[in-house]
Amino acid sequence: MMIKIYDVIIIGGGFAGCGLAYHLSRANINTLLLESNHICSGTSSACAGRAQIFDSETPEYLRIVHQGYSMLPQLGEELDIDLEWELPGHITLYYSQEQLSAHQSKIDWMRKIGLSAEFVPSAEISKLESALNPMNCVGAILAQEGHLNPFKFCWGYLQSAKRLGATIKCRSKVERFIKEGNKIVGVETTNQSYYGKNIILATGAWTGFLTSKIDAPLPIFFTKAEAMVSEPLPKTVNHHIGTSGFYDSVHGNNQLVTLGVGQHRNGCLLISNAIQPATAIDRSSSAWGMPAITQKLSEFFPILKQIRITRTWSAPSPFSKDYQPIIGWLPHFENIYIASAFHLAIPTIPVFTKLIADHIQGQNQIEVSEYLEPFSPDRFFM
Ligand SMILES: Cc1cc2nc3c(=O)[nH]c(=O)nc-3n(C[C@H](O)[C@H](O)[C@H](O)COP(=O)(O)OP(=O)(O)OC[C@H]3O[C@@H](n4cnc5c(N)ncnc54)[C@H](O)[C@@H]3O)c2cc1C
Protein backbone atom coordinates (compact mmCIF):
# COMPACT_ATOMS: atom_id res chain seq x y z
CA MET A 1 0.00 0.00 0.00
CA MET A 2 1.25 3.50 -0.88
CA ILE A 3 1.84 5.71 2.17
CA LYS A 4 0.14 9.10 1.91
CA ILE A 5 2.47 11.98 2.73
CA TYR A 6 0.77 15.26 3.65
CA ASP A 7 2.48 18.58 2.97
CA VAL A 8 1.60 19.69 6.51
CA ILE A 9 0.28 17.90 9.59
CA ILE A 10 -1.24 20.28 12.15
CA ILE A 11 -1.57 18.96 15.69
CA GLY A 12 -4.36 20.73 17.61
CA GLY A 13 -7.88 21.79 16.66
CA GLY A 14 -8.28 25.07 18.56
CA PHE A 15 -8.29 28.60 17.09
CA ALA A 16 -4.67 28.30 15.97
CA GLY A 17 -4.93 24.84 14.37
CA CYS A 18 -8.21 25.62 12.59
CA GLY A 19 -6.98 29.05 11.40
CA LEU A 20 -3.85 27.40 10.04
CA ALA A 21 -5.78 24.60 8.33
CA TYR A 22 -7.82 27.28 6.56
CA HIS A 23 -4.89 29.40 5.35
CA LEU A 24 -2.79 26.40 4.29
CA SER A 25 -5.66 24.74 2.39
CA ARG A 26 -6.44 28.06 0.73
CA ALA A 27 -2.89 28.01 -0.61
CA ASN A 28 -3.45 24.47 -1.98
CA ILE A 29 -1.25 22.87 0.68
CA ASN A 30 -2.28 19.29 1.34
CA THR A 31 -3.16 19.55 5.04
CA LEU A 32 -4.11 17.10 7.79
CA LEU A 33 -5.34 18.33 11.19
CA LEU A 34 -5.19 15.93 14.15
CA GLU A 35 -7.11 16.72 17.33
CA SER A 36 -6.96 14.51 20.41
CA ASN A 37 -10.48 15.31 21.52
CA HIS A 38 -12.96 17.29 19.42
CA ILE A 39 -12.68 20.65 17.64
CA CYS A 40 -12.52 23.67 19.97
CA SER A 41 -12.26 21.52 23.09
CA GLY A 42 -9.00 22.91 24.53
CA THR A 43 -8.44 26.44 25.85
CA SER A 44 -10.44 27.80 22.91
CA SER A 45 -13.57 26.24 24.47
CA ALA A 46 -13.13 28.52 27.52
CA CYS A 47 -12.68 31.73 25.54
CA ALA A 48 -14.97 34.66 26.35
CA GLY A 49 -14.93 35.86 22.74
CA ARG A 50 -13.43 39.27 23.46
CA ALA A 51 -11.46 40.92 20.67
CA GLN A 52 -9.22 42.67 23.18
CA ILE A 53 -7.15 45.63 22.09
CA PHE A 54 -6.38 47.60 25.23
CA ASP A 55 -4.45 44.70 26.80
CA SER A 56 -1.65 45.01 24.20
CA GLU A 57 1.50 45.59 26.26
CA THR A 58 3.56 47.45 23.65
CA PRO A 59 2.86 49.66 20.61
CA GLU A 60 4.45 46.92 18.44
CA TYR A 61 2.04 44.27 19.71
CA LEU A 62 -0.84 46.74 19.40
CA ARG A 63 0.03 47.07 15.70
CA ILE A 64 -0.50 43.32 15.18
CA VAL A 65 -3.65 43.32 17.31
CA HIS A 66 -5.03 46.29 15.36
CA GLN A 67 -4.32 44.61 12.03
CA GLY A 68 -6.18 41.44 13.08
CA TYR A 69 -8.96 43.39 14.76
CA SER A 70 -9.58 45.28 11.50
CA MET A 71 -10.08 41.94 9.72
CA LEU A 72 -12.72 40.64 12.16
CA PRO A 73 -15.82 42.54 10.91
CA GLN A 74 -15.42 40.93 7.43
CA LEU A 75 -14.16 37.55 8.61
CA GLY A 76 -17.66 36.06 8.96
CA GLU A 77 -18.36 36.76 5.29
CA GLU A 78 -15.00 35.27 4.28
CA LEU A 79 -15.70 32.09 6.30
CA ASP A 80 -19.40 32.05 5.40
CA ILE A 81 -20.60 32.07 9.02
CA ASP A 82 -22.32 34.63 11.28
CA LEU A 83 -19.64 35.29 13.91
CA GLU A 84 -22.11 37.43 15.94
CA TRP A 85 -19.65 40.32 15.73
CA GLU A 86 -20.53 43.27 17.96
CA LEU A 87 -18.81 46.24 19.60
CA PRO A 88 -19.51 46.32 23.34
CA GLY A 89 -16.32 48.19 24.33
CA HIS A 90 -14.37 47.43 27.49
CA ILE A 91 -14.18 49.18 30.85
CA THR A 92 -11.09 48.51 32.96
CA LEU A 93 -11.56 49.48 36.61
CA TYR A 94 -8.47 50.65 38.53
CA TYR A 95 -7.91 50.41 42.28
CA SER A 96 -4.44 51.95 42.47
CA GLN A 97 -3.31 55.28 41.08
CA GLU A 98 0.01 53.68 40.20
CA GLN A 99 -1.59 51.04 37.96
CA LEU A 100 -3.84 53.61 36.34
CA SER A 101 -0.91 55.94 35.56
CA ALA A 102 1.05 53.00 34.11
CA HIS A 103 -1.79 52.29 31.67
CA GLN A 104 -2.69 55.83 30.66
CA SER A 105 -0.12 55.89 27.84
CA LYS A 106 -2.11 53.08 26.17
CA ILE A 107 -4.89 55.61 25.55
CA ASP A 108 -2.47 57.60 23.36
CA TRP A 109 -1.20 54.49 21.55
CA MET A 110 -4.76 53.54 20.66
CA ARG A 111 -5.82 57.03 19.62
CA LYS A 112 -2.74 57.45 17.44
CA ILE A 113 -3.94 54.59 15.22
CA GLY A 114 -7.55 55.73 15.16
CA LEU A 115 -8.99 53.52 17.92
CA SER A 116 -11.09 55.03 20.69
CA ALA A 117 -9.98 55.04 24.33
CA GLU A 118 -10.65 57.48 27.15
CA PHE A 119 -10.21 57.98 30.87
CA VAL A 120 -13.44 57.90 32.92
CA PRO A 121 -13.37 59.54 36.39
CA SER A 122 -14.78 57.27 39.11
CA ALA A 123 -17.78 59.59 39.68
CA GLU A 124 -18.86 59.05 36.07
CA ILE A 125 -18.65 55.26 35.87
CA SER A 126 -22.27 54.86 36.93
CA LYS A 127 -23.36 56.85 33.83
CA LEU A 128 -21.92 54.00 31.75
CA GLU A 129 -22.94 51.11 34.02
CA SER A 130 -25.80 51.96 36.36
CA ALA A 131 -25.90 48.53 38.08
CA LEU A 132 -22.17 48.54 38.86
CA ASN A 133 -20.87 49.35 42.32
CA PRO A 134 -17.34 50.62 41.55
CA MET A 135 -16.47 50.71 45.28
CA ASN A 136 -13.19 52.57 45.93
CA CYS A 137 -12.21 52.68 42.25
CA VAL A 138 -9.76 55.51 41.38
CA GLY A 139 -10.94 55.70 37.76
CA ALA A 140 -11.55 53.62 34.67
CA ILE A 141 -10.49 53.41 31.05
CA LEU A 142 -13.16 52.87 28.42
CA ALA A 143 -11.62 51.39 25.27
CA GLN A 144 -12.86 50.13 21.93
CA GLU A 145 -13.32 46.35 21.91
CA GLY A 146 -15.24 43.86 19.82
CA HIS A 147 -16.86 40.55 20.66
CA LEU A 148 -17.69 37.43 18.68
CA ASN A 149 -18.88 33.89 19.23
CA PRO A 150 -15.62 31.96 19.85
CA PHE A 151 -17.07 28.56 18.83
CA LYS A 152 -18.23 29.98 15.50
CA PHE A 153 -14.79 31.59 15.04
CA CYS A 154 -13.16 28.15 15.37
CA TRP A 155 -15.90 26.33 13.46
CA GLY A 156 -15.86 28.88 10.62
CA TYR A 157 -12.14 28.34 10.06
CA LEU A 158 -12.58 24.56 10.28
CA GLN A 159 -15.52 24.31 7.84
CA SER A 160 -13.79 26.61 5.35
CA ALA A 161 -10.61 24.50 5.61
CA LYS A 162 -12.67 21.36 4.94
CA ARG A 163 -14.35 22.95 1.92
CA LEU A 164 -10.87 23.75 0.60
CA GLY A 165 -9.79 20.13 0.96
CA ALA A 166 -8.20 19.80 4.43
CA THR A 167 -8.50 16.41 6.13
CA ILE A 168 -9.64 16.58 9.77
CA LYS A 169 -9.27 13.71 12.24
CA CYS A 170 -10.71 14.10 15.74
CA ARG A 171 -10.17 11.64 18.62
CA SER A 172 -6.63 11.30 17.25
CA LYS A 173 -4.17 12.04 20.00
CA VAL A 174 -0.56 12.28 18.85
CA GLU A 175 1.39 9.98 21.16
CA ARG A 176 4.75 9.81 19.42
CA PHE A 177 6.83 11.33 16.65
CA ILE A 178 8.26 9.08 13.93
CA LYS A 179 11.93 9.86 13.33
CA GLU A 180 14.16 9.05 10.38
CA GLY A 181 17.68 10.15 11.23
CA ASN A 182 17.33 13.71 12.48
CA LYS A 183 14.07 14.33 10.71
CA ILE A 184 10.54 13.85 12.00
CA VAL A 185 8.68 12.17 9.17
CA GLY A 186 5.36 11.52 10.82
CA VAL A 187 3.32 11.01 13.96
CA GLU A 188 1.68 8.10 15.68
CA THR A 189 -1.78 8.66 17.11
CA THR A 190 -3.92 6.43 19.27
CA ASN A 191 -5.42 4.95 16.08
CA GLN A 192 -2.97 5.28 13.22
CA SER A 193 0.33 6.66 11.89
CA TYR A 194 0.40 9.68 9.57
CA TYR A 195 3.27 11.02 7.49
CA GLY A 196 4.00 14.63 6.61
CA LYS A 197 6.73 16.90 5.26
CA ASN A 198 6.14 19.54 7.95
CA ILE A 199 4.50 19.28 11.36
CA ILE A 200 2.92 22.21 13.20
CA LEU A 201 2.33 22.07 16.94
CA ALA A 202 -0.77 24.22 17.51
CA THR A 203 -1.25 22.55 20.86
CA GLY A 204 -1.50 25.52 23.25
CA ALA A 205 -0.95 24.48 26.87
CA TRP A 206 -0.10 20.92 25.77
CA THR A 207 2.89 21.99 23.63
CA GLY A 208 5.52 21.43 26.32
CA PHE A 209 4.33 17.84 26.82
CA LEU A 210 4.77 17.16 23.10
CA THR A 211 8.15 18.85 22.64
CA SER A 212 9.52 16.97 25.64
CA LYS A 213 8.86 13.75 23.67
CA ILE A 214 11.56 14.89 21.24
CA ASP A 215 13.85 16.27 23.95
CA ALA A 216 13.17 19.91 23.07
CA PRO A 217 11.37 21.23 26.13
CA LEU A 218 9.83 24.66 25.56
CA PRO A 219 9.09 27.12 28.39
CA ILE A 220 5.30 27.01 28.08
CA PHE A 221 3.47 27.21 31.38
CA PHE A 222 -0.19 27.49 32.26
CA THR A 223 -2.51 28.48 35.04
CA LYS A 224 -5.94 26.99 35.69
CA ALA A 225 -8.61 29.53 34.70
CA GLU A 226 -12.26 29.16 35.64
CA ALA A 227 -15.41 30.84 34.39
CA MET A 228 -19.19 30.45 34.35
CA VAL A 229 -22.31 31.51 32.50
CA SER A 230 -25.66 32.66 33.92
CA GLU A 231 -29.25 32.16 32.90
CA PRO A 232 -30.50 34.77 30.35
CA LEU A 233 -31.28 38.08 32.09
CA PRO A 234 -32.72 41.46 31.09
CA LYS A 235 -30.01 43.87 29.90
CA THR A 236 -27.89 44.74 32.97
CA VAL A 237 -24.28 45.03 31.78
CA ASN A 238 -23.56 47.32 28.81
CA HIS A 239 -19.83 46.78 28.21
CA HIS A 240 -17.36 44.07 28.99
CA ILE A 241 -16.01 45.01 32.42
CA GLY A 242 -12.81 43.89 34.10
CA THR A 243 -10.67 44.87 37.03
CA SER A 244 -7.07 45.79 36.22
CA GLY A 245 -4.36 43.30 37.08
CA PHE A 246 -5.91 40.35 35.22
CA TYR A 247 -2.68 39.53 33.36
CA ASP A 248 -0.66 39.70 36.60
CA SER A 249 -2.88 36.93 37.94
CA VAL A 250 -3.16 34.87 34.76
CA HIS A 251 0.63 34.80 34.46
CA GLY A 252 1.27 34.62 38.16
CA ASN A 253 1.83 32.14 40.94
CA ASN A 254 -1.01 33.06 43.25
CA GLN A 255 -4.59 31.98 43.63
CA LEU A 256 -6.51 35.10 42.61
CA VAL A 257 -9.95 36.15 41.47
CA THR A 258 -10.43 39.20 39.24
CA LEU A 259 -13.74 40.40 37.84
CA GLY A 260 -14.44 39.86 34.14
CA VAL A 261 -18.07 40.14 33.07
CA GLY A 262 -19.98 40.76 29.87
CA GLN A 263 -23.56 40.17 28.77
CA HIS A 264 -24.05 38.23 25.57
CA ARG A 265 -26.72 39.17 23.03
CA ASN A 266 -28.82 36.19 24.27
CA GLY A 267 -28.93 37.79 27.76
CA CYS A 268 -26.51 35.37 29.46
CA LEU A 269 -23.67 36.79 31.53
CA LEU A 270 -20.22 35.35 31.00
CA ILE A 271 -18.44 35.68 34.34
CA SER A 272 -14.78 35.03 35.14
CA ASN A 273 -11.88 34.77 36.33
CA ALA A 274 -10.62 32.53 39.09
CA ILE A 275 -6.96 31.79 38.45
CA GLN A 276 -4.66 29.37 40.22
CA PRO A 277 -1.19 28.00 39.45
CA ALA A 278 -1.13 24.55 37.83
CA THR A 279 1.40 22.02 36.61
CA ALA A 280 -1.07 19.39 35.40
CA ILE A 281 -4.12 19.99 33.22
CA ASP A 282 -7.27 19.62 35.27
CA ARG A 283 -10.56 20.64 33.62
CA SER A 284 -12.77 20.36 36.71
CA SER A 285 -14.46 23.39 38.31
CA SER A 286 -12.93 23.85 41.73
CA ALA A 287 -14.60 24.22 45.11
CA TRP A 288 -12.54 27.41 45.56
CA GLY A 289 -13.04 29.02 42.13
CA MET A 290 -16.81 28.90 41.72
CA PRO A 291 -17.78 30.65 45.00
CA ALA A 292 -14.88 33.10 44.54
CA ILE A 293 -16.24 34.24 41.16
CA THR A 294 -19.87 34.59 42.32
CA GLN A 295 -18.72 36.47 45.44
CA LYS A 296 -16.74 38.91 43.26
CA LEU A 297 -19.72 39.40 40.93
CA SER A 298 -22.10 40.19 43.78
CA GLU A 299 -19.65 42.73 45.26
CA PHE A 300 -19.56 44.62 41.96
CA PHE A 301 -23.17 43.98 40.92
CA PRO A 302 -25.25 43.61 44.11
CA ILE A 303 -28.44 43.21 42.04
CA LEU A 304 -27.00 40.04 40.48
CA LYS A 305 -26.59 38.26 43.81
CA GLN A 306 -29.51 35.88 43.22
CA ILE A 307 -28.93 34.89 39.59
CA ARG A 308 -28.83 31.26 38.52
CA ILE A 309 -25.57 29.88 37.09
CA THR A 310 -26.20 27.37 34.32
CA ARG A 311 -22.69 26.17 33.42
CA THR A 312 -19.17 26.33 34.84
CA TRP A 313 -15.86 25.32 33.27
CA SER A 314 -12.13 25.48 33.60
CA ALA A 315 -9.23 25.42 31.14
CA PRO A 316 -5.46 25.77 31.14
CA SER A 317 -4.40 29.31 30.24
CA PRO A 318 -1.00 28.94 28.54
CA PHE A 319 1.80 31.47 28.47
CA SER A 320 5.48 31.46 27.57
CA LYS A 321 8.38 32.50 29.78
CA ASP A 322 8.24 36.08 28.42
CA TYR A 323 4.41 36.03 27.95
CA GLN A 324 4.78 36.39 24.18
CA PRO A 325 3.52 33.82 21.65
CA ILE A 326 5.95 31.18 20.39
CA ILE A 327 5.85 31.09 16.59
CA GLY A 328 8.45 29.60 14.27
CA TRP A 329 10.61 26.60 13.36
CA LEU A 330 11.83 24.59 16.34
CA PRO A 331 15.64 24.81 16.50
CA HIS A 332 17.54 21.58 15.74
CA PHE A 333 14.60 20.15 13.76
CA GLU A 334 14.15 20.78 10.06
CA ASN A 335 10.42 20.49 9.91
CA ILE A 336 8.73 21.10 13.28
CA TYR A 337 6.92 24.43 13.57
CA ILE A 338 5.56 25.85 16.85
CA ALA A 339 2.39 27.99 16.91
CA SER A 340 1.48 28.25 20.58
CA ALA A 341 1.06 30.41 23.69
CA PHE A 342 -1.04 33.00 21.87
CA HIS A 343 -1.75 36.26 23.66
CA LEU A 344 -4.94 38.19 22.76
CA ALA A 345 -5.84 35.29 20.49
CA ILE A 346 -9.05 36.50 18.83
CA PRO A 347 -7.59 39.66 17.30
CA THR A 348 -4.19 38.11 16.51
CA ILE A 349 -5.13 34.67 15.10
CA PRO A 350 -6.32 36.09 11.72
CA VAL A 351 -2.92 37.78 11.22
CA PHE A 352 -0.65 35.15 12.72
CA THR A 353 -2.22 32.13 10.99
CA LYS A 354 -1.97 33.83 7.57
CA LEU A 355 1.68 34.75 8.21
CA ILE A 356 2.52 31.25 9.48
CA ALA A 357 1.02 29.73 6.32
CA ASP A 358 3.26 32.08 4.29
CA HIS A 359 6.27 31.18 6.45
CA ILE A 360 5.73 27.44 5.90
CA GLN A 361 5.61 28.05 2.14
CA GLY A 362 8.64 30.39 2.18
CA GLN A 363 6.50 33.25 0.82
CA ASN A 364 6.11 36.92 1.66
CA GLN A 365 9.45 36.76 3.47
CA ILE A 366 9.93 40.44 4.35
CA GLU A 367 6.58 40.72 6.12
CA VAL A 368 6.95 37.27 7.70
CA SER A 369 10.31 38.08 9.25
CA GLU A 370 9.23 41.57 10.33
CA TYR A 371 6.18 40.25 12.16
CA LEU A 372 7.21 36.78 13.30
CA GLU A 373 10.90 37.06 14.19
CA PRO A 374 10.29 38.51 17.69
CA PHE A 375 8.24 35.39 18.54
CA SER A 376 10.70 32.78 17.26
CA PRO A 377 11.42 29.78 19.55
CA ASP A 378 15.12 30.59 18.92
CA ARG A 379 14.93 33.06 21.81
CA PHE A 380 14.72 30.15 24.26
CA PHE A 381 17.60 28.18 22.75
CA MET A 382 20.40 30.76 22.70
C1 LIG B 1 -11.30 31.49 30.75
C2 LIG B 1 -10.59 32.00 29.51
C3 LIG B 1 -11.13 33.07 28.81
C4 LIG B 1 -10.47 33.56 27.67
N1 LIG B 1 -11.03 34.61 27.00
C5 LIG B 1 -10.40 35.11 25.91
C6 LIG B 1 -10.98 36.19 25.19
O1 LIG B 1 -12.05 36.69 25.53
N2 LIG B 1 -10.33 36.64 24.08
C7 LIG B 1 -9.14 36.09 23.65
O2 LIG B 1 -8.59 36.55 22.64
N3 LIG B 1 -8.57 35.06 24.32
C8 LIG B 1 -9.18 34.55 25.42
N4 LIG B 1 -8.63 33.49 26.08
C9 LIG B 1 -7.40 32.88 25.53
C10 LIG B 1 -7.74 32.02 24.30
O3 LIG B 1 -8.86 31.21 24.59
C11 LIG B 1 -6.53 31.15 23.92
O4 LIG B 1 -5.42 32.01 23.68
C12 LIG B 1 -6.80 30.35 22.64
O5 LIG B 1 -7.97 29.59 22.77
C13 LIG B 1 -5.63 29.43 22.35
O6 LIG B 1 -5.95 28.67 21.20
P1 LIG B 1 -4.99 27.50 20.72
O7 LIG B 1 -5.53 26.97 19.46
O8 LIG B 1 -3.58 27.99 20.74
O9 LIG B 1 -5.06 26.42 21.91
P2 LIG B 1 -6.19 25.34 22.25
O10 LIG B 1 -7.54 25.84 22.01
O11 LIG B 1 -5.88 24.83 23.62
O12 LIG B 1 -5.93 24.20 21.19
C14 LIG B 1 -4.93 23.21 21.35
C15 LIG B 1 -5.55 21.89 20.95
O13 LIG B 1 -4.52 20.90 20.87
C16 LIG B 1 -5.09 19.67 21.22
N5 LIG B 1 -4.01 18.74 21.57
C17 LIG B 1 -3.17 18.83 22.63
N6 LIG B 1 -2.31 17.79 22.63
C18 LIG B 1 -2.62 17.04 21.54
C19 LIG B 1 -2.09 15.83 21.00
N7 LIG B 1 -1.08 15.17 21.61
N8 LIG B 1 -2.63 15.33 19.86
C20 LIG B 1 -3.67 15.96 19.24
N9 LIG B 1 -4.21 17.11 19.73
C21 LIG B 1 -3.69 17.64 20.86
C22 LIG B 1 -5.98 20.02 22.41
O14 LIG B 1 -6.97 19.03 22.62
C23 LIG B 1 -6.55 21.36 21.98
O15 LIG B 1 -7.82 21.23 21.36
C24 LIG B 1 -9.26 32.97 27.22
C25 LIG B 1 -8.72 31.89 27.92
C26 LIG B 1 -9.38 31.40 29.04
C27 LIG B 1 -8.77 30.22 29.77
Side-chain angles (χ1 to χ4, degrees), residues 93-98 100 119-122 125 134 136-140:
L93 302 168
Y94 290 86
Y95 289 86
S96 106
Q97 195 58 53
E98 201 185 338
L100 175 61
F119 171 70
V120 182
S122 54
I125 296 171
N136 51 348
C137 176
V138 296

Side-chain angles (χ1 to χ4, degrees), residues 11-17 34-38 40-52 172-175 202-206 210 225-227 272-273 313 315-318 339-347:
I11 311 175
F15 297 159
L34 298 171
E35 164 55 50
S36 63
N37 197 356
H38 52 85
C40 204
S41 60
T43 304
S44 300
S45 68
C47 179
R50 294 173 54 204
Q52 296 149 282
S172 298
K173 181 175 182 187
V174 171
E175 302 278 12
T203 37
W206 289 264
L210 275 169
E226 298 184 65
S272 50
N273 301 280
W313 63 90
S317 186
S340 292
F342 288 95
H343 173 47
L344 311 183
I346 296 229

